[in-house]
């Protein structure tokens, strides 16, 4: 009877396609919106993830995310270096400063100050120049996206394309001369605006004078040293918060998750996809069942049990669910591939495929359930009613 | 298709071979409750013999469809007794009743009720597939049945590609494919022209007589009355009279 169930399903082309479109839409919306949400949330701690050398981040206990900087005294760095189990500890500066462009416009930039000696905390990939070029006077490294967009020089002729900032160009950061010595590629993060890297001391000199200037201390544990134990020791010695990289990432994730409207907005889109998918697929599937009610009645009269009809409907539901899910996830994946090199956030982990499959499965079960109820309650005597 | 105005009588089974296929005694059935309660059957007494074609006739709303539904085991009577080959459906569990019906009763519906997306041979094979018979065997038997009803060349045709008469022949083949002992037909010729209807009735009578099955036919179509062995005239939920048809000599003995 399985073959008959399938032929009944695919024979009604309009409804068959309608059900699949509904499920594809639901699967696509659930997968794509959730992928964008996960992509965005991953970016919230992208700057931390990109800095893979440090095991521990030390910061003020009130810091909730990467740009929530609460400056610390530089003397804490020496105290940190004196804690047993610390292989090295370097300062990291983070601030948002104004940058005056060649055309006089002012642009915010994210200034990252790297330890003068080791340059730890630098960008993961250089496009032009090298990280060590930061040892030159007034030097800065700019990320390629920022160089091509916000920091780009005006067009050479009216209406022409702007000219990307290049090595050798000079800009002003907070009224301080800065020379571009390199272009880098950064991990996409949640922070907007160009990323600018320089040494820690130069970054401090760029910024307005402050009593405290250090944003983070990056710590590497000695080999064999328990990182959680070291965190505990560092908290005790410095009186600051010491978080492993994973803990800091989670802290940032949780902040954006609980204190921003991002999850709600995307959650609404996902729920909407689920509801609309259920409505379209469920309604069409139910109509398909209603149209075939007389045939189900005839099958019942001819000896088909409720169990047999239930299996037929479940099979029909599973077939459209499988196809709809495949198409939806396929389109979502294609979308992800197409935007891979763009600024758009998209991350499709394997478990999201399972979540999407589960959601489509629930939609199919709901759709089939309504139809099954109708068929199970169907009196076979309907076949004699004209 | 050859016209078959009134068929010649076919030799009846010997008296000793006559068995009771359906026995209804004081069958009552009501729909609704309270003020809306309608008595559809008001004490029906009826016997149908194997090898017999009995037609239930009467005006609309007289209870024909209800009676045939009770006889076919797809509707339970409220009171009275209805035995089909000695089996009382009311004593069976729903599941057993469904299986028994699938094995022993064939259906021919007014609007054929062929599955539109299945070919003729697949439609005919459905009752065997319901009984979990192997597909190859089911298709072979279905093909043989279609050949027997004159549709050898239309095995792979969809119902929409067949004429009304051909569709009804497919439906008849479907009703026979699993070798049922009782066949119930609901207005089998109402959607057919006279010539096609005669041909279908000839086929049904041959099936009833030739294989010693029982046929119960609900019809309004007076043109096919001559094919009946007996005509049961119903009115207001009761059988008013039973008369011998022209399909055979009047049955022996007393009948309700």
């Amino acid at each position: 009877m399985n073959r008959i169930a399938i032929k009944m399903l695919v024979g009604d082309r309009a409804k068959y396609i309608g059900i699949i479109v509904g499920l594809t839409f639901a699967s696509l919306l659930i997968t794509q919106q959730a992928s964008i949400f996960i992509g965005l949330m991953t970016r919230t701690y992208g700057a931390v993830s990109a800095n893979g050398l440090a095991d521990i981040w030390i910061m003020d206990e009130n810091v909730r995310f990467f740009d929530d900087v609460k400056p610390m005294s530089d003397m804490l760095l020496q105290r940190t270096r004196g804690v047993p189990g610390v292989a090295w500890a370097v300062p990291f500066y983070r601030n948002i400063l104004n940058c005056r462009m060649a055309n006089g416009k002012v642009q915010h930039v994210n200034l990252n100050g790297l330890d003068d000696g080791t340059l730890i905390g630098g960008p993961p990939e250089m496009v032009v120049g090298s990280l060590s070029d930061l040892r030159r006077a007034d030097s800065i490294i700019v990320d390629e996206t920022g160089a091509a967009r916000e920091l780009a020089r005006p067009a050479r002729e009216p209406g022409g394309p702007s000219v990307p900032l290049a090595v050798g160009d000079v800009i002003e950061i907070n009224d301080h001369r800065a020379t571009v010595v390199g272009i880098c590629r950064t991990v996409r993060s949640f922070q907007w605006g160009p990323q600018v890297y320089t040494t820690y001391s130069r970054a401090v000199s760029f910024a307005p004078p402050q009593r405290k200037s250090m944003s983070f201390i990056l710590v590497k544990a000695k080999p064999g040293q328990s990182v959680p134990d070291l965190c505990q020791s560092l908290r005790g010695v410095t009186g600051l918060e010491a978080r492993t990289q994973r803990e800091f990432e989670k802290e940032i994730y949780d902040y954006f998750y609980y204190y921003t409207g991002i999850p709600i907005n995307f959650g609404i889109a996902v729920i909407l996809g689920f509801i609309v998918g259920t409505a379209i697929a469920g309604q069409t599937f139910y109509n398909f069942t209603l149209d075939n009610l007389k045939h189900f009645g005839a099958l019942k009269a001819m000896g088909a049990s409720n169990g047999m009809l239930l299996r037929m409907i479940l099979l029909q539901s599973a077939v459209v669910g499988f196809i709809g899910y495949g198409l939806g996830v396929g389109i979502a994946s294609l979308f992800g591939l197409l935007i891979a090199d763009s600024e758009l956030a998209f991350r499709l982990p394997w478990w999201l495929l399972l979540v999407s499959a589960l959601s489509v499965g629930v939609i199919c079960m709901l759709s089939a359930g309504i139809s099954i109820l109708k068929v199970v309650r169907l009196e076979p005597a309907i076949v004699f009613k004209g | 298709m050859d016209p078959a105005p009134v068929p010649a009588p076919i030799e009846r089974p010997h008296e000793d071979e006559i068995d009771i296929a359906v026995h209804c005694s004081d069958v009552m059935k009501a729909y609704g409750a309270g003020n809306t309660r309608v008595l559809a059957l008001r004490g029906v007494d009826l016997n149908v013999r194997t090898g017999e074609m009995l037609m239930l006739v009467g005006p609309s709303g007289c209870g024909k469809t209800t009676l045939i539904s009770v006889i076919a085991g797809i509707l339970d009577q409220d009171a009275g007794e209805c035995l089909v080959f000695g089996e009382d459906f009311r004593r069976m569990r729903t599941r057993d009743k469904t299986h028994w019906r699938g094995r022993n009763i064939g259906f021919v519906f007014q609007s054929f009720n062929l599955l539109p997306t299945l070919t003729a041979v697949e439609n005919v094979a459905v009752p065997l597939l319901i009984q979990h018979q192997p597909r190859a065997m089911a298709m072979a038997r279905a093909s043989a049945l279609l050949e027997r009803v004159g549709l050898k060349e239309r095995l792979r045709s969809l119902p929409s590609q067949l004429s009304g008469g051909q569709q009804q022949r497919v439906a008849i083949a479907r009703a026979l494919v699993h070798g049922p002992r009782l066949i119930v037909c609901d207005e089998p010729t109402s959607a057919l022209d006279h010539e096609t209807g005669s041909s279908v009735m000839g086929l049904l009578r041959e099936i009833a007589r030739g294989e010693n099955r029982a046929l119960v036919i609900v019809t309004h179509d007076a043109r096919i009355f001559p094919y009946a062995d007996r005509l049961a005239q119903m009115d207001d939920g009761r059988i008013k009279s039973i008369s011998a048809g022209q399909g055979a000599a009047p049955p022996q003995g007393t009948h309700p």
Side-chain angles (χ1 to χ4, degrees):
Chain A
M1 294 300 285
N2 291 347
R3 190 187 291 237
I4 289 173
I6 301 294
K7 287 193 104 173
M8 282 174 77
L9 175 69
V10 301
D12 189 342
R13 285 292 163 86
K15 288 199 173 57
Y16 175 57
I17 291 170
I19 299 166
I20 287 178
V21 165
L23 290 170
T24 301
F25 179 75
S27 171
L28 170 65
L29 211 55
I30 290 168
T31 310
Q32 190 235 25
Q33 289 294 305
S35 293
I36 292 175
F37 169 69
I38 292 168
L40 269 183
M41 294 304 284
T42 304
R43 285 187 181 187
T44 60
Y45 54 81
V48 176
S49 306
N51 202 327
L53 283 178
D55 294 325
I56 298 168
W57 289 64
I58 296 178
M59 66 203 80
D60 185 278
E61 63 182 355
N62 294 315
V63 170
R64 305 301 305 275
F65 55 96
F66 191 59
D67 279 324
D68 183 26
V69 173
K70 311 278 192 301
M72 304 174 291
S73 168
D74 284 15
M75 61 177 285
L76 289 168
L77 178 63
Q78 300 308 323
R79 200 178 290 174
T80 299
R81 284 173 174 162
V83 174
V86 172
W88 51 254
V90 296
F92 187 86
Y93 182 87
R94 173 77 178 179
N95 206 343
I96 298 173
L97 296 181
N98 285 336
C99 168
R100 187 174 297 279
M101 315 284 291
N103 60 0
K105 286 185 178 175
V106 174
Q107 166 71 47
H108 290 306
V109 295
N110 296 292
L111 185 65
N112 299 281
L114 318 178
D115 176 49
D116 290 42
T118 60
L119 298 177
I120 286 173
E125 185 182 350
M126 292 299 297
V127 179
V128 180
S130 76
L131 196 58
S132 60
D133 291 337
L134 285 181
R135 301 194 194 285
R136 289 153 59 183
D138 300 333
S139 57
I140 58 167
I141 292 172
V142 180
D143 80 283
E144 62 177 349
T145 307
R149 292 185 187 171
E150 295 95 334
L151 297 179
R153 298 164 68 85
R156 291 195 176 92
E157 54 199 43
S162 55
V163 181
L165 200 67
V167 170
D169 288 343
V170 175
I171 58 175
E172 281 183 17
I173 298 177
N174 200 28
D175 295 333
H176 290 78
R177 175 189 163 89
T179 306
V180 178
V181 296
I183 304 294
C184 67
R185 186 168 293 143
T186 56
V187 173
R188 290 196 183 91
S189 73
F190 203 62
Q191 287 74 34
W192 69 95
Q195 299 291 324
V196 174
Y197 294 86
T198 188
T199 60
Y200 179 81
S201 57
R202 194 174 302 123
V204 172
S205 71
F206 283 169
Q210 286 179 295
R211 194 165 59 85
K212 298 176 180 177
S213 55
M214 191 167 56
S215 308
F216 298 99
I217 300 173
L218 308 184
V219 176
K220 182 73 176 176
K222 282 182 178 173
Q225 170 66 46
S226 160
V227 174
D229 287 350
L230 185 56
C231 283
Q232 191 66 33
S233 302
L234 288 168
R235 284 188 203 107
V237 171
T238 63
L240 299 168
E241 184 58 66
R243 293 179 175 126
T244 64
Q245 183 168 318
R246 284 295 305 153
E247 286 171 347
F248 192 25
E249 287 171 353
K250 186 175 183 311
E251 181 72 23
I252 297 169
Y253 181 93
D254 287 349
Y255 174 80
F256 281 94
Y257 190 87
Y258 292 111
Y259 293 97
T260 70
I262 296 172
I264 295 171
N265 289 329
F266 281 95
I268 287 170
V270 170
I271 290 169
L272 206 62
F274 185 85
I275 292 171
V276 172
T278 306
I280 296 175
Q283 179 67 34
T284 318
F285 197 82
Y286 185 62
N287 281 344
F288 164 76
T289 305
L290 285 185
D291 286 352
N292 282 292
L293 216 50
K294 205 164 173 68
H295 300 308
F296 282 121
L299 291 174
K300 233 174 178 178
M302 288 188 285
S305 64
N306 279 334
M308 180 177 281
L309 298 179
L310 183 147
R311 285 192 294 277
M312 287 175 71
I313 292 172
L314 283 179
L315 176 66
Q316 291 167 340
S317 169
V319 167
V320 289
F322 188 76
I323 295 172
Y325 167 72
L327 285 174
V329 164
I331 295 170
S333 303
L334 197 64
F335 173 81
L337 283 175
L338 290 175
I339 64 160
D341 292 326
S342 73
E343 286 296 297
L344 295 173
F346 188 91
R347 189 172 175 215
L348 179 53
W350 64 268
W351 54 263
L352 184 56
L353 297 175
L354 291 184
V355 170
S356 182
L358 199 67
S359 304
V360 172
V362 169
I363 292 173
C364 289
M365 292 298 287
L366 288 174
S367 307
I370 302 167
S371 298
I372 285 167
L373 276 179
K374 187 79 183 174
V375 169
V376 166
R377 289 174 181 166
L378 175 69
E379 286 288 342
I382 189 179
V383 293
F384 288 139
K385 289 178 182 168
Chain B
M1 197 175 291
D2 298 330
V6 177
I10 293 177
E11 189 178 341
R12 298 270 307 152
H14 189 270
E15 179 81 5
D16 297 341
E17 298 170 23
I18 294 175
D19 294 320
I20 298 297
V22 179
H23 169 74
C24 293
S25 172
D26 200 22
V27 171
M28 303 187 75
K29 177 70 185 176
Y31 296 109
N35 292 336
T36 61
R37 189 165 187 265
V38 175
L39 267 174
L41 298 178
R42 298 166 182 261
V44 171
D45 297 316
L46 178 71
N47 279 345
V48 183
R49 296 170 171 177
T50 56
E52 178 182 44
M53 179 190 285
L54 180 131
M55 287 188 190
L56 289 172
V57 299
S60 294
C62 69
K64 303 187 298 293
T65 299
T66 301
L67 180 57
I68 201 175
S69 298
V70 170
I71 289 172
I74 57 179
L75 196 64
D76 284 336
Q77 72 271 30
D78 296 333
E81 186 180 55
C82 184
L83 304 178
V84 179
F85 298 107
E87 297 285 348
D88 186 350
F89 290 136
R90 288 201 302 177
R91 293 179 188 276
M92 291 183 184
R93 291 182 305 169
T94 304
R95 185 181 174 83
D96 295 334
K97 186 164 65 177
T98 302
H99 286 165
W100 194 93
R101 194 169 61 225
R103 287 194 305 273
N104 295 286
I105 301 178
F107 292 87
V108 178
F109 305 110
Q110 180 178 359
S111 51
F112 321 134
N113 268 11
L114 300 175
L115 287 163
T117 53
L118 303 188
T119 62
V121 69
E122 286 171 332
N123 263 295
V124 174
V126 163
L128 292 173
L129 296 174
I130 287 174
Q131 293 174 42
H132 304 291
Q133 298 295 326
R135 182 175 170 79
M137 187 275 275
M139 298 301 277
R141 285 190 63 174
S143 300
L145 250 301
L146 280 172
E147 189 173 348
R148 184 175 157 195
V149 299
L151 292 174
K152 184 182 178 183
E153 309 300 324
R154 309 308 300 268
L155 300 183
R156 307 290 164 199
S157 299
L158 292 172
S160 58
Q161 297 165 329
L162 299 173
S163 68
Q166 287 173 326
Q167 287 187 54
Q168 194 60 299
R169 283 169 180 272
V170 173
I172 290 169
R174 181 177 66 180
L176 293 172
V177 72
H178 53 302
R181 291 189 282 170
L182 171 66
I183 297 168
V184 292
C185 308
D186 181 34
E187 305 280 4
T189 57
S190 67
L192 307 176
D193 59 47
H194 178 63
E195 184 181 327
T196 311
S198 298
S199 169
V200 165
M201 288 311 299
L203 181 63
L204 283 172
R205 199 187 61 170
E206 178 194 333
I207 288 161
R209 302 270 177 78
E211 300 180 13
N212 215 27
R213 294 186 171 102
L215 262 81
V216 180
I217 297 174
V218 165
T219 186
H220 277 101
D221 188 353
R223 296 171 303 179
I224 66 169
F225 290 174
Y227 290 89
D229 292 315
R230 287 189 300 151
L231 284 163
Q233 180 72 41
M234 288 192 74
D235 191 19
D236 198 22
R238 294 187 181 89
I239 291 182
K240 292 291 185 188
S241 64
I242 294 182
S243 57
Q246 297 175 24
Q252 301 294 311
T254 55
H255 293 292

